[in-house]
Amino acid sequence: MTLWFIVQYTLKKNTVNLEKLLFAHDNLHACHGQPNAFQRIFPTAVLLPLLSSSCCAIQLIINALSGWGCAGFNTYLGPIRPILLPMLLFSTWTLLPQRSLGWTIISLFLGFLPELVDIWNTTRSQQWQQKHKDMQLSSTSSSPLPVAAKLRLDIPTMGCVSCVNKVDTSIRQCKSAANIREETSWLTDDGSAKGGVAELSIMARTNEEVDAIAQEVVTAVK
């Protein structure tokens, strides 16, 4: 809801500038001839949505194909996202009669991918915690684990929801994931620290086992 009000306010403030930008875009094509299909589609259906999402799709691909971690797109594009999103919505509405529904859906999907990833992270986290809560109830009735510990990791390199997704996945794929009862990661947006935080509860038989699990988690997150 807050994002919607920001978009509405920014759109009203920048309507004249957006119209000038589109007018200049049309004049550019008028001077250099009719654009081909790639020139018509790529800037507004791919490039602008990518910039509006702080290149969230690119970061997801980086996370999936390598262990490089956060590329820092959100550090530079995040502050201007409230301006880029209205530009995306305005261009989408203006060009709606000129391009197919499929490209419009792709454009909006790319532009609002951070919100979709955040919903996915929240849903998956709730499902994962419910699954381990059920496992905890069954283990408590049979052979409860006597040692409990809470681990909190400050991760300064975590800069966007794609990185949150990567951290959650890395922790939940640990060999000792069955000993992790609760796990959640989030970005620190209060200005107290850069990056994000991962917090989890560990259940084990001995203190040494807790230390080994904690070390495994730290290694997986790096």
Side-chain angles (χ1 to χ4, degrees), residues 3-37:
L3 177 61
W4 172 251
F5 283 119
I6 292 175
V7 169
Q8 288 287 89
Y9 174 79
T10 310
L11 184 58
K12 291 179 181 179
K13 288 289 185 180
N14 292 277
T15 298
V16 175
N17 293 332
L18 292 173
E19 289 177 346
K20 288 181 179 178
L21 182 64
L22 290 176
F23 179 73
H25 182 267
D26 293 339
N27 285 342
L28 181 64
H29 287 314
C31 295
H32 294 82
Q34 289 298 321
N36 56 38

Side-chain angles (χ1 to χ4, degrees), residues 157-175:
T157 56
M158 190 163 67
C160 64
V161 291
S162 300
C163 298
V164 173
N165 178 273
K166 177 65 174 179
V167 169
D168 285 341
T169 301
S170 299
I171 292 175
R172 293 166 191 171
Q173 289 179 348
C174 289
K175 295 180 180 179

Side-chain angles (χ1 to χ4, degrees), residues 17-178:
N17 293 332
L18 292 173
E19 289 177 346
K20 288 181 179 178
L21 182 64
L22 290 176
F23 179 73
H25 182 267
D26 293 339
N27 285 342
L28 181 64
H29 287 314
C31 295
H32 294 82
Q34 289 298 321
N36 56 38
F38 178 81
Q39 292 172 330
R40 289 198 309 270
I41 293 175
F42 181 77
T44 56
V46 179
L47 182 59
L48 181 57
L50 278 176
L51 295 176
S52 300
S53 68
S54 301
C55 294
C56 184
I58 297 178
Q59 183 65 60
L60 285 172
I61 294 173
I62 292 174
N63 292 345
L65 298 180
S66 71
W68 292 348
C70 184
F73 296 122
N74 196 51
T75 302
Y76 301 100
L77 295 174
I80 61 173
R81 193 167 182 245
I83 299 175
L84 294 173
L85 276 176
M87 292 177 64
L88 172 63
L89 294 176
F90 185 83
S91 65
T92 301
W93 177 259
T94 304
L95 300 174
L96 190 60
Q98 304 176 27
R99 65 186 182 193
S100 65
L101 178 61
W103 278 113
T104 299
I105 293 174
I106 291 173
S107 173
L108 294 175
F109 174 81
L110 289 174
F112 288 93
L113 189 56
E115 285 72 26
L116 297 176
V117 172
D118 185 54
I119 293 172
W120 168 258
N121 289 343
T122 302
T123 303
R124 194 176 64 158
S125 179
Q126 292 173 348
Q127 293 174 346
W128 191 86
Q129 291 183 17
Q130 183 59 47
K131 174 184 175 181
H132 281 70
K133 187 178 294 184
D134 295 339
M135 292 174 57
Q136 181 180 11
L137 291 175
S138 61
S139 64
T140 301
S141 59
S142 56
S143 56
L145 299 175
V147 181
K150 180 166 286 189
L151 178 65
R152 179 186 174 96
L153 302 174
D154 292 321
I155 310 174
T157 56
M158 190 163 67
C160 64
V161 291
S162 300
C163 298
V164 173
N165 178 273
K166 177 65 174 179
V167 169
D168 285 341
T169 301
S170 299
I171 292 175
R172 293 166 191 171
Q173 289 179 348
C174 289
K175 295 180 180 179
S176 305

